[in-house]
Amino acid sequence: AIPNPQYAYMRSMQGEHRSSILDANDPVLQPRHHRMWQCDPRYIPFLVESGFYAFSQMEPMRVDWNLMTALIERWRPETHTFHLQKGEMTITPLDVGLLTELRTWGLYVNIDQDELDMKKSWWEVVLGVLGSVDPNAKDHYYVRRHWLSETFKLCPANADEETIIYFAKAYILGLIANVLFPNSSGDKINTPWLCLLEATAEDIGEYNWGCALLAFLYRGLCKASKIGVKGVEGCVLLVQLWAYEHLHTGRPTCRSRELPVIEDEDRRMCLGWSWAKAIRQTGKNPVHSLVLYRDMLDRQTEDEIIWFPYTEDRVQNTHPNCIDENESYLLELALICFHIVEHYHPSRVMRQFGYSQPIPTAVFHDRKLHQTNWKLALVSAPNQENYVNMNQLHVRCLGLTIPLS
């Protein structure tokens, strides 16, 4: 069956949605993510303080692109939810916090345009973050992934503390560009990420990386749901981990997914780590065809969905900060990542928080939000004073809330 929402406001983009022309021979979507190099143990203190430690410790996982394609065919840009047989579901800030241990409150990931243009030259930014400059970068707004990995893959054995910090920041930049926020820019890593990494580890950890990750992923899923799009931007690993937690479809068979008991709270693992570890140990991660996944999702029953998988026994060994004590994941939020502003509507997926689900109300979908790209945000928008003003305007238009700091 073709996934097609019942209500008119949820079909406003059906004419350009990939579900409108499903075929048995449809190509499978392709990744935008790239391989990461190994984490040096000397980076760990910096990773802990900046909030990237738990995610950095996850073992590599093979992405099931047939499953990802079948799910994205059911993603609706109008509501930012997957439309399944038994109701709507989505990836929430609560999922992000527990699966990745990235912070889901705090300063939103953004920079002042004047600071970017006037504070210092691009080369000074790169030099301050990495301690060296990509000699072959052709303009002032990126460094190359290839140069980053080749230059910072191995930290010298006799490196001093300053050099280790440069390499630790390069590792975080690699995580950002290759796994957490991969895009379609090929070998380029854009300027704003480096501006954020100019700060100390403590200040880097103050940013709301989790909601930024979700904003970027929502945008990527919306793009990928269109006819003719071949790749997916954003952290598809998060989509796969979310599917493993909530859906029977495509879930690998694992004997145990218990987290280790670690007294130091700052060095506890995330739930995503438990999936990667269990799959590596058992070697059982079956991959089925796209047609079979479509059929499994079409025939999905209530007992094949786990609306709220995060029971007390599963989260007791995670970091306390995985869950926002202010419960902002229950609010209608504006998810922000630089030029990207995406709406988040938990009222449509209340069963994912252990509540009963009322009939969802209509939501406002602004197509203009999806028309802003890196180039427009960086250099082609003279009428936009800075990112902050642009994002606050979008937030006001959507009637949403910025996550609490």
Side-chain angles (χ1 to χ4, degrees):
I2 296 177
N4 194 354
Q6 298 178 354
Y7 302 102
Y9 73 91
M10 289 189 281
R11 293 200 306 267
S12 64
M13 300 184 68
Q14 182 61 24
E16 55 192 273
H17 198 279
R18 63 188 311 117
S19 66
S20 63
I21 56 168
L22 291 186
D23 185 85
N25 297 318
D26 286 341
V28 175
L29 289 163
Q30 298 299 313
R32 298 290 189 190
H33 71 282
H34 306 266
R35 290 183 178 273
M36 266 302 295
W37 57 92
Q38 190 171 0
C39 179
D40 190 304
R42 291 172 291 177
Y43 307 160
I44 288 179
F46 194 94
L47 293 172
V48 168
E49 196 167 3
S50 61
F52 288 90
Y53 171 73
F55 189 86
S56 73
Q57 299 305 297
M58 285 180 55
E59 296 190 34
M61 287 180 62
R62 178 179 62 175
V63 175
D64 186 346
W65 283 101
N66 290 316
L67 176 59
M68 295 300 99
T69 303
L71 286 171
I72 290 171
E73 289 171 350
R74 288 159 174 77
W75 176 263
R76 299 306 306 192
E78 301 91 342
T79 59
H80 289 158
T81 54
F82 297 104
H83 285 245
L84 305 173
Q85 286 293 340
K86 297 302 176 180
E88 295 179 49
M89 300 185 77
T90 196
I91 306 169
T92 71
L94 181 62
D95 293 307
V96 175
L98 288 168
L99 290 172
T100 70
E101 222 171 271
L102 293 175
R103 182 170 174 166
T104 55
W105 68 95
L107 303 174
Y108 56 99
V109 173
N110 212 329
I111 57 174
D112 191 298
Q113 180 67 51
D114 293 336
E115 179 181 345
L116 179 65
D117 288 339
M118 300 173 59
K119 182 179 178 181
K120 59 180 66 175
S121 74
W122 165 235
W123 302 114
E124 289 177 304
V125 173
V126 178
L127 197 61
V129 173
L130 303 176
S132 59
V133 175
D134 180 358
N136 295 321
K138 295 181 179 180
D139 60 42
H140 299 288
Y141 290 101
Y142 72 88
V143 296
R144 294 174 301 132
R145 281 190 177 90
H146 178 74
W147 172 81
L148 186 74
S149 62
E150 289 298 314
T151 305
F152 296 96
K153 184 180 294 184
L154 294 175
C155 185
N158 60 347
D160 58 19
E161 184 177 354
E162 183 180 26
T163 301
I164 291 173
I165 290 176
Y166 285 143
F167 274 74
K169 287 187 175 184
Y171 184 83
I172 292 175
L173 183 61
L175 279 179
I176 288 172
N178 295 327
V179 184
L180 295 171
F181 300 88
N183 59 20
S184 58
S185 61
D187 197 34
K188 298 178 181 179
I189 302 175
N190 291 300
T191 304
W193 300 118
L194 283 103
C195 294
L196 296 181
L197 297 181
E198 284 186 284
T200 63
E202 182 179 3
D203 289 339
I204 292 172
E206 292 296 315
Y207 284 104
N208 189 338
W209 293 103
C211 284
L213 176 70
L214 204 53
F216 199 93
L217 179 61
Y218 277 11
R219 177 67 61 88
L221 294 175
C222 291
K223 289 181 179 179
S225 69
K226 293 184 177 181
I227 296 172
V229 176
K230 299 179 181 180
V232 187
E233 299 181 1
C235 187
V236 290
L237 176 60
L238 175 60
V239 182
Q240 181 156 299
L241 293 172
W242 174 88
Y244 287 171
E245 289 286 348
H246 290 275
L247 306 176
H248 177 271
T249 304
R251 181 186 297 152
T253 302
C254 301
R255 293 180 181 178
S256 174
R257 290 184 286 108
E258 293 183 1
L259 292 175
V261 179
I262 300 175
E263 292 299 324
D264 185 350
E265 293 180 346
D266 290 332
R267 301 199 180 199
R268 290 182 177 179
M269 298 296 103
C270 56
L271 293 183
W273 177 93
S274 68
W275 278 107
K277 187 72 173 180
I279 292 171
R280 177 62 63 89
Q281 290 176 341
T282 62
K284 295 181 179 180
N285 187 10
V287 175
H288 302 295
S289 69
L290 173 58
V291 174
L292 180 57
Y293 280 137
R294 286 172 175 171
D295 185 62
M296 293 171 72
L297 290 172
D298 285 342
R299 298 174 183 271
Q300 196 172 52
T301 59
E302 188 70 34
D303 61 353
E304 293 177 334
I305 298 175
I306 304 177
W307 293 101
F308 186 76
Y310 308 122
T311 55
E312 184 176 350
D313 62 312
R314 290 214 54 219
V315 304
Q316 63 181 348
N317 291 320
T318 60
H319 194 289
N321 288 343
C322 282
I323 302 176
D324 182 3
E325 63 180 12
N326 293 310
E327 295 188 336
S328 61
Y329 51 81
L330 293 175
L331 301 175
E332 304 281 318
L333 295 177
L335 304 173
I336 295 174
C337 179
F338 296 117
H339 63 288
I340 295 174
V341 181
E342 296 292 347
H343 50 190
Y344 162 67
H345 297 295
S347 59
R348 309 188 70 84
V349 294
M350 294 305 293
R351 284 177 289 185
Q352 288 186 230
F353 308 108
Y355 299 103
S356 59
Q357 179 61 55
I359 297 175
T361 57
V363 297
F364 171 70
H365 174 68
D366 185 1
R367 287 174 176 258
K368 291 183 179 179
L369 286 179
H370 287 178
Q371 295 174 353
T372 307
N373 56 32
W374 284 109
K375 183 176 291 187
L376 175 62
L378 284 171
V379 296
S380 301
N383 61 323
Q384 296 171 354
E385 292 184 7
N386 52 52
Y387 288 118
V388 177
N389 289 343
M390 178 176 65
N391 289 343
Q392 288 179 344
L393 174 62
H394 288 157
V395 170
R396 288 197 298 272
C397 290
L398 290 171
L400 302 177
T401 303
I402 294 177
L404 298 173
S405 59

